[in-house]
Amino acid sequence: MTDATSRDGSRSGSTAQPVGAAKGPDELRRQIEETRGQLGDTVEELAGKADVKGRAKAKAADLKDKAGAMGVQLRSSAAHAGHAVQDKAGRAGHTAHDKGGRARDTAERHASPGRARGAVRAGLGHPRVVLAAGAAAGVVVAASLVRRRHHGHC
Protein backbone atom coordinates (compact mmCIF):
# COMPACT_ATOMS: atom_id res chain seq x y z
CA MET A 1 0.00 0.00 0.00
CA THR A 2 1.46 3.26 -1.08
CA ASP A 3 -1.04 5.63 0.61
CA ALA A 4 -0.45 6.43 4.26
CA THR A 5 -3.37 6.24 6.59
CA SER A 6 -3.71 8.71 9.48
CA ARG A 7 -4.89 7.90 12.96
CA ASP A 8 -8.49 8.91 12.21
CA GLY A 9 -8.58 6.59 9.25
CA SER A 10 -8.50 9.18 6.49
CA ARG A 11 -6.07 8.81 3.65
CA SER A 12 -3.54 11.57 2.92
CA GLY A 13 -3.56 11.10 -0.83
CA SER A 14 -7.33 11.39 -1.18
CA THR A 15 -8.79 13.34 -4.15
CA ALA A 16 -11.86 14.61 -2.24
CA GLN A 17 -12.46 18.34 -2.89
CA PRO A 18 -13.76 20.85 -0.35
CA VAL A 19 -17.26 22.22 -0.88
CA GLY A 20 -17.20 25.13 -3.41
CA ALA A 21 -13.78 24.19 -4.72
CA ALA A 22 -13.13 24.59 -8.44
CA LYS A 23 -13.33 21.47 -10.54
CA GLY A 24 -10.92 22.83 -13.07
CA PRO A 25 -8.97 25.94 -14.19
CA ASP A 26 -11.96 27.43 -16.07
CA GLU A 27 -14.19 27.06 -13.03
CA LEU A 28 -11.46 28.61 -10.85
CA ARG A 29 -11.17 31.64 -13.20
CA ARG A 30 -14.95 32.08 -13.13
CA GLN A 31 -14.99 32.03 -9.32
CA ILE A 32 -12.13 34.56 -9.19
CA GLU A 33 -14.01 36.95 -11.52
CA GLU A 34 -17.20 36.57 -9.48
CA THR A 35 -15.32 37.25 -6.26
CA ARG A 36 -13.65 40.33 -7.82
CA GLY A 37 -17.08 41.67 -8.84
CA GLN A 38 -18.50 41.16 -5.34
CA LEU A 39 -15.40 42.75 -3.81
CA GLY A 40 -15.72 45.76 -6.16
CA ASP A 41 -19.38 46.23 -5.17
CA THR A 42 -18.46 46.03 -1.49
CA VAL A 43 -15.66 48.58 -1.93
CA GLU A 44 -18.07 50.97 -3.71
CA GLU A 45 -20.62 50.65 -0.90
CA LEU A 46 -17.97 51.32 1.73
CA ALA A 47 -16.60 54.29 -0.22
CA GLY A 48 -20.14 55.73 -0.52
CA LYS A 49 -20.68 55.38 3.20
CA ALA A 50 -17.33 56.98 3.91
CA ASP A 51 -18.09 59.96 1.59
CA VAL A 52 -19.83 62.10 4.23
CA LYS A 53 -19.36 65.30 2.22
CA GLY A 54 -20.96 63.78 -0.87
CA ARG A 55 -23.89 62.42 1.11
CA ALA A 56 -24.38 65.79 2.81
CA LYS A 57 -24.43 67.55 -0.59
CA ALA A 58 -26.97 65.06 -1.91
CA LYS A 59 -29.16 65.52 1.18
CA ALA A 60 -28.90 69.32 0.90
CA ALA A 61 -29.93 69.18 -2.77
CA ASP A 62 -32.88 66.96 -1.86
CA LEU A 63 -33.98 69.33 0.92
CA LYS A 64 -33.60 72.32 -1.41
CA ASP A 65 -35.85 70.65 -3.97
CA LYS A 66 -38.45 69.88 -1.31
CA ALA A 67 -38.32 73.47 0.00
CA GLY A 68 -38.77 74.83 -3.52
CA ALA A 69 -41.78 72.63 -4.09
CA MET A 70 -43.22 73.67 -0.74
CA GLY A 71 -42.70 77.35 -1.61
CA VAL A 72 -44.58 76.92 -4.87
CA GLN A 73 -47.39 75.18 -3.03
CA LEU A 74 -47.56 77.93 -0.38
CA ARG A 75 -47.64 80.69 -3.02
CA SER A 76 -50.44 78.88 -4.80
CA SER A 77 -52.41 78.49 -1.56
CA ALA A 78 -51.89 82.16 -0.67
CA ALA A 79 -53.06 83.29 -4.11
CA HIS A 80 -56.14 81.09 -3.83
CA ALA A 81 -56.91 82.49 -0.37
CA GLY A 82 -56.41 86.05 -1.66
CA HIS A 83 -58.89 85.46 -4.46
CA ALA A 84 -61.40 84.03 -2.00
CA VAL A 85 -61.04 87.11 0.25
CA GLN A 86 -61.46 89.44 -2.72
CA ASP A 87 -64.61 87.61 -3.76
CA LYS A 88 -66.07 87.86 -0.25
CA ALA A 89 -65.18 91.55 0.01
CA GLY A 90 -66.82 92.22 -3.35
CA ARG A 91 -69.99 90.46 -2.29
CA ALA A 92 -70.02 92.33 1.03
CA GLY A 93 -69.57 95.65 -0.79
CA HIS A 94 -72.46 94.90 -3.11
CA THR A 95 -74.64 93.91 -0.15
CA ALA A 96 -73.79 97.13 1.71
CA HIS A 97 -74.46 99.20 -1.40
CA ASP A 98 -77.83 97.54 -1.91
CA LYS A 99 -78.83 98.01 1.75
CA GLY A 100 -77.74 101.67 1.63
CA GLY A 101 -79.84 102.25 -1.48
CA ARG A 102 -82.87 100.65 0.14
CA ALA A 103 -82.37 102.78 3.27
CA ARG A 104 -82.13 105.94 1.15
CA ASP A 105 -85.27 104.98 -0.76
CA THR A 106 -87.13 104.35 2.49
CA ALA A 107 -86.00 107.69 3.94
CA GLU A 108 -87.04 109.53 0.78
CA ARG A 109 -90.48 107.92 0.82
CA HIS A 110 -91.13 108.74 4.48
CA ALA A 111 -89.61 112.23 4.59
CA SER A 112 -91.74 115.20 3.67
CA PRO A 113 -90.72 118.83 3.19
CA GLY A 114 -93.15 119.89 5.89
CA ARG A 115 -91.55 117.66 8.50
CA ALA A 116 -88.08 118.92 7.58
CA ARG A 117 -89.15 122.57 7.87
CA GLY A 118 -90.70 121.86 11.25
CA ALA A 119 -87.51 120.31 12.53
CA VAL A 120 -85.43 123.27 11.30
CA ARG A 121 -87.80 125.79 12.95
CA ALA A 122 -87.72 123.86 16.21
CA GLY A 123 -83.92 123.82 16.11
CA LEU A 124 -83.70 127.54 15.38
CA GLY A 125 -85.70 128.21 18.53
CA HIS A 126 -82.85 126.91 20.67
CA PRO A 127 -79.78 129.16 20.99
CA ARG A 128 -77.35 126.24 21.31
CA VAL A 129 -78.47 124.78 18.01
CA VAL A 130 -78.05 128.15 16.28
CA LEU A 131 -74.60 128.56 17.83
CA ALA A 132 -73.54 125.03 16.77
CA ALA A 133 -74.82 125.58 13.21
CA GLY A 134 -72.94 128.90 12.97
CA ALA A 135 -69.74 127.30 14.27
CA ALA A 136 -70.06 124.47 11.76
CA ALA A 137 -70.57 126.94 8.92
CA GLY A 138 -67.50 128.89 10.08
CA VAL A 139 -65.40 125.74 10.09
CA VAL A 140 -66.51 124.91 6.55
CA VAL A 141 -65.65 128.42 5.31
CA ALA A 142 -62.26 128.42 7.07
CA ALA A 143 -61.41 124.97 5.69
CA SER A 144 -62.25 126.03 2.14
CA LEU A 145 -60.06 129.16 2.48
CA VAL A 146 -57.13 127.16 3.77
CA ARG A 147 -57.60 124.66 0.98
CA ARG A 148 -57.58 127.39 -1.68
CA ARG A 149 -54.37 128.91 -0.31
CA HIS A 150 -52.75 125.49 -0.11
CA HIS A 151 -53.56 124.72 -3.75
CA GLY A 152 -52.50 128.22 -4.94
CA HIS A 153 -55.90 129.48 -6.06
CA CYS A 154 -55.62 132.85 -4.33
Side-chain angles (χ1 to χ4, degrees), residues 23-134:
K23 296 180 183 169
D26 291 334
E27 178 70 17
L28 183 59
R29 285 187 195 101
R30 189 195 59 74
Q31 287 179 353
I32 290 171
E33 288 303 316
E34 186 178 320
T35 303
R36 281 184 183 156
Q38 291 172 349
L39 184 59
D41 292 344
T42 303
V43 168
E44 281 183 38
E45 285 180 36
L46 290 174
K49 289 180 180 181
D51 184 17
V52 176
K53 187 176 180 181
R55 287 191 342 217
K57 283 183 179 181
K59 184 71 172 177
D62 184 44
L63 291 175
K64 185 177 178 181
D65 289 344
K66 285 180 182 178
M70 192 176 292
V72 168
Q73 185 179 8
L74 287 174
R75 281 192 294 278
S76 174
S77 296
H80 184 68
H83 292 304
V85 168
Q86 283 179 338
D87 290 344
K88 279 187 176 184
R91 286 194 301 271
H94 289 300
T95 301
H97 186 285
D98 293 345
K99 285 183 179 182
R102 284 194 301 263
R104 182 194 66 233
D105 293 344
T106 302
E108 287 175 354
R109 271 183 296 185
H110 294 296
S112 69
R115 286 185 188 171
R117 274 191 220 109
V120 169
R121 284 186 188 139
L124 290 176
H126 291 79
R128 285 187 185 167
V129 173
V130 174
L131 183 62

